[in-house]
Amino acid sequence: QYYKGLQNRTIIINEQITSDIVENVMLPLIEMDNDGTGKPITIRLSTVGGSLFDGITLCDIIDNVKTPTTIIVQTYAYSMGGIILMAGYNNPNVKKVCYKHSTALLHAGSTYLEGNSSSVKDQFHFHEKFEKKLKEYTLTHSKISEEEYDAMERYEYYMDSDTMLEKG
């Protein structure tokens, strides 16, 4: 189905977000966006999430697509999938669609730090800095207010389709 979908300009994201997203999602999206046809692109999203560092660049790409692109929440967009769902918020070429029973999740995520104490401190400070960037991304790519973000930052913020629509 994945390769059939690519022929029809549909990109399927139905696995955990890992570095495979470069080959399976980013490169096909860039190629479709730059092929000069202007034919619409569809991204079908159904993921439990995964790596922020692998997925956030996809958001940057979606934020800048020139071709009409629709992101469809096939079942759920959890964790990194919820962030991908925010991509294109300020891009008039991107629209989002979900089904009545589609759901999404935003949360603080998790991390694992390892190494000597200096290395762990460096990693921790980097993650703190990146968390601020992620907060800014959320605030500029949704209707979630800073107060709402601060209140939800430490828990699992599940959304049904009505809440996804309300929060943009």
Side-chain angles (χ1 to χ4, degrees):
Q1 284 302 97
Y2 174 78
Y3 296 105
K4 184 178 178 182
L6 289 180
Q7 292 173 345
N8 296 320
R9 301 178 70 79
T10 297
I11 298 170
I12 300 168
I13 304 174
N14 66 342
E15 296 177 345
Q16 189 167 354
I17 305 300
T18 67
S19 61
D20 291 344
I21 198 170
V22 173
E23 184 177 352
N24 296 333
V25 179
M26 291 182 199
L27 293 177
L29 178 58
I30 291 168
E31 186 175 314
M32 289 176 197
D33 189 38
N34 291 308
D35 69 5
T37 67
K39 292 180 183 175
I41 300 166
T42 301
I43 299 172
R44 293 195 171 269
L45 188 59
S46 181
T47 181
V48 295
S51 170
L52 170 66
F53 298 108
D54 288 314
I56 197 68
T57 303
L58 173 60
C59 296
D60 294 336
I61 293 168
I62 294 170
D63 283 340
N64 291 291
V65 293
K66 302 173 294 298
T67 305
T69 301
T70 302
I71 301 172
I72 300 172
V73 181
Q74 198 69 40
T75 52
Y76 43 79
Y78 290 170
S79 192
M80 186 61 224
I83 297 167
I84 292 170
L85 183 56
M86 288 188 274
Y89 183 78
N90 301 304
N91 183 337
N93 298 315
V94 178
K95 73 176 187 174
K96 288 94 179 272
V97 177
C98 69
Y99 295 99
K100 180 179 179 179
H101 294 101
S102 299
T103 56
L105 163 68
L106 295 176
H107 65 150
S110 62
T111 190
Y112 175 75
L113 304 177
E114 182 179 13
N116 64 43
S117 60
S118 295
S119 173
V120 169
K121 287 176 188 175
D122 291 341
Q123 293 173 57
F124 179 77
H125 291 300
F126 175 76
H127 283 273
E128 277 187 319
K129 186 176 178 180
F130 210 86
E131 280 180 10
K132 289 177 185 174
K133 287 184 176 200
L134 187 57
K135 178 180 180 177
E136 182 64 26
Y137 191 85
T138 301
L139 297 179
T140 60
H141 286 75
S142 72
K143 295 177 185 171
I144 296 172
S145 70
E146 187 165 4
E147 293 76 25
E148 289 173 307
Y149 185 93
D150 291 342
M152 68 161 209
E153 186 175 23
R154 296 291 175 227
Y155 70 90
E156 309 280 298
Y157 183 43
Y158 285 94
M159 293 175 266
D160 61 16
S161 57
D162 294 329
T163 305
M164 286 190 280
L165 180 63
E166 176 189 326
K167 299 300 177 187

